[in-house]
Amino acid sequence: MWLKRLQTALDGDAWILDGNYGSTLDRRAARADTVIFFVPPRELCLLRMLRRELSGQHPHIAGLRPRLPDWEFVRYTWTYLRKVPQMLETLAQHRHLRLVLVRSDREARQLLKRG
């Protein structure tokens, strides 16, 4: 079901996708013209994940559902940056892409100001 929905979006003329699903990165990159890739410091990722989990403000779940993150999710968040070089290598193979790396909140604000 998820892959069908992804393909429907990719078949459209214009779309914005969010996510770090490595299994579909190549497919998404082939149809994209721009990728904005966020690579914040790992401590910031962990802090924000914990804050989001404990507050219950989950972007994909309706209503507030505070919870303690399980160890596997903490570990995934902490080690996520190890996957970044491979993902960037995959993206670099798509020469048509405009790739924008954002490494800090300051860089994100600058990007938004530029439009």
Side-chain angles (χ1 to χ4, degrees), residues 10-64:
L10 294 176
D11 289 342
D13 291 333
W15 40 265
I16 297 173
L17 293 175
D18 172 29
N20 57 357
Y21 305 104
S23 64
T24 62
L25 184 60
D26 200 50
R27 181 189 299 191
R28 291 178 286 142
R31 289 278 298 133
D33 57 24
T34 304
V35 171
I36 302 173
F37 201 102
F38 291 87
V39 190
R42 112 178 4 169
E43 294 82 5
L44 184 59
C45 289
L46 188 62
L47 175 68
R48 288 183 175 165
M49 178 275 293
L50 290 170
R51 187 182 306 151
R52 185 174 56 248
E53 293 294 309
L54 295 173
S55 74
Q57 296 179 2
H58 306 281
H60 304 295
I61 300 173
L64 292 178

Side-chain angles (χ1 to χ4, degrees):
M1 172 75 85
W2 182 80
L3 290 175
K4 278 185 160 184
R5 287 182 179 173
L6 173 64
Q7 193 57 52
T8 298
L10 294 176
D11 289 342
D13 291 333
W15 40 265
I16 297 173
L17 293 175
D18 172 29
N20 57 357
Y21 305 104
S23 64
T24 62
L25 184 60
D26 200 50
R27 181 189 299 191
R28 291 178 286 142
R31 289 278 298 133
D33 57 24
T34 304
V35 171
I36 302 173
F37 201 102
F38 291 87
V39 190
R42 112 178 4 169
E43 294 82 5
L44 184 59
C45 289
L46 188 62
L47 175 68
R48 288 183 175 165
M49 178 275 293
L50 290 170
R51 187 182 306 151
R52 185 174 56 248
E53 293 294 309
L54 295 173
S55 74
Q57 296 179 2
H58 306 281
H60 304 295
I61 300 173
L64 292 178
R65 295 197 183 166
R67 62 186 179 198
L68 286 173
D70 61 35
W71 174 246
E72 194 60 35
F73 192 36
V74 172
R75 194 170 131 251
Y76 172 82
T77 303
W78 186 254
T79 61
Y80 173 76
L81 292 177
R82 294 180 192 165
K83 300 174 186 177
V84 169
Q86 177 61 43
M87 288 189 279
L88 292 176
E89 187 176 309
T90 297
L91 293 171
Q93 294 172 11
H94 296 273
R95 304 258 183 236
H96 69 282
L97 275 180
R98 174 178 170 243
L99 179 59
V100 179
L101 290 179
V102 178
R103 292 186 171 91
S104 67
D105 288 348
R106 185 175 60 90
E107 289 181 11
R109 285 190 298 274
Q110 290 172 343
L111 180 64
L112 288 170
K113 283 182 183 177
R114 285 195 307 259

